[in-house]
């Protein structure tokens, strides 16, 4: 009686499974990225923030305020005038009047602030609400400082124009250059105070637009 012989069992998988296993274990080839061209190396992605009309007006106004306070400072600083000769020589100096010294100090302070506020407005983008409100508050302080200084200087300038009954002439008729510098400096400072008033109104408009 013959027994059916079964084929011996081997532990090796079939050839097709061996091929699939080898393909699974092999890592895909790593290809190097294509080299950058010279044009691609020179490309820089620049993200620009569009400038609104209100911001552009603010830049121009702060630049104008900077210029006017600078001119007011320079003009009054060079206002001294000397007339006469030898023992009769006399000099008209703005430093002899406390109102003019206060006027000069106020314009120097506002000039420094104008430079700082202009740089902050250009560099800081977008500006947080706290910075916008802080600049608007200091703008109000700058206007108050300029208005008080302009009022004091204008009062003294008016007195210099008044005719002295003893001399039958005014001080400005003798020291004409001195008085001309004083009046021109006050005009520049008044223009700067008007610009800062406009900046306060502009800040209110921007704040109202953000709230809406």
């Amino acid at each position: 009686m013959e027994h059916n012989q079964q084929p011996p069992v081997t532990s090796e998988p079939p050839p097709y499974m061996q091929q699939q296993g080898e393909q699974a274990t092999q890592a895909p080839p790593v290809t190097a990225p294509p080299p950058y061209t010279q044009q691609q190396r020179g490309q820089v992605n620049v993200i620009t923030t569009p400038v609104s009309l209100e911001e552009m007006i603010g830049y121009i106004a702060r630049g104008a305020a900077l210029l006017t306070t600078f001119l007011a400072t320079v003009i009054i600083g060079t206002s001294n005038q000397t007339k006469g000769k030898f023992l009769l020589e006399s000099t008209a100096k703005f430093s002899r009047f406390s109102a003019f010294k206060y006027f000069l100090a106020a314009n120097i302070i506002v000039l420094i602030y104008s430079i700082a506020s202009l740089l902050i407005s250009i560099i800081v983008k977008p500006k947080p609400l706290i910075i916008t409100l802080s600049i608007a508050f200091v703008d109000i302080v700058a206007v108050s400082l300029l208005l008080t200084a302009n009022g004091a200087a204008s009062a003294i300038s008016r007195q210099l124009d008044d005719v002295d009954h003893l001399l039958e002439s005014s001080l400005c008729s003798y020291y004409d250059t001195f008085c001309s510098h004083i009046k021109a400096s006050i005009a520049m400072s008044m223009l700067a105070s008007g610009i800062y008033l406009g900046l306060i109104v502009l800040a209110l408009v921007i704040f109202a637009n953000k709230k809406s």
Side-chain angles (χ1 to χ4, degrees), residues 109-131:
I109 293 172
V110 177
L111 171 60
I112 296 172
Y113 167 68
S114 300
I115 298 172
S117 61
L118 179 60
L119 292 177
I120 292 173
S121 300
I122 295 174
I123 295 173
V124 180
K125 285 187 178 182
K127 287 189 289 294
L129 183 59
I130 184 64
I131 293 181

Side-chain angles (χ1 to χ4, degrees), residues 98-100 102-103 146-158 186:
S98 58
F100 292 157
Y102 173 64
F103 176 86
L146 287 177
L147 289 178
T148 54
N150 294 340
S154 298
I156 299 300
S157 177
R158 181 62 183 270
I186 293 173

